[in-house]
Amino acid sequence: MRALVTAAIYFGTFLVIGYLAKRLLDRFMAQNGTDLREVQSQNKGGGQQQRFLLGGWYKDRSPGN
């Protein structure tokens, strides 16, 4: 029973912190009039980018595809 309580506290804390961070970021993005796609396009210069994920290379898709 003690292990269950410890796990609930441990995982519950991460869930609460994640939820609060998401709400804070949503509020910040709404106040500044930006959305995720706009921020991502600014970050990578609007072009495709190669990335390494799970042992393989892939290219980002363009927003139209």
Side-chain angles (χ1 to χ4, degrees):
M1 185 67 174
R2 183 174 177 184
L4 184 60
V5 171
T6 303
I9 292 171
Y10 183 77
F11 292 117
T13 303
F14 283 107
L15 291 174
V16 169
I17 290 171
Y19 176 76
L20 292 176
K22 181 181 180 335
R23 298 294 298 174
L24 183 65
L25 285 172
D26 287 343
R27 186 185 314 166
F28 176 76
M29 296 292 265
Q31 287 177 352
N32 292 323
T34 57
D35 64 351
L36 184 60
R37 291 183 193 149
E38 182 179 338
V39 173
Q40 287 176 339
S41 68
Q42 290 174 359
N43 183 29
K44 60 184 173 182
Q48 287 189 346
Q49 185 177 6
Q50 274 193 334
R51 299 179 186 203
F52 187 76
L53 179 66
L54 300 175
W57 288 96
Y58 75 97
K59 291 184 181 180
D60 292 335
R61 290 192 215 168
S62 62
N65 291 343

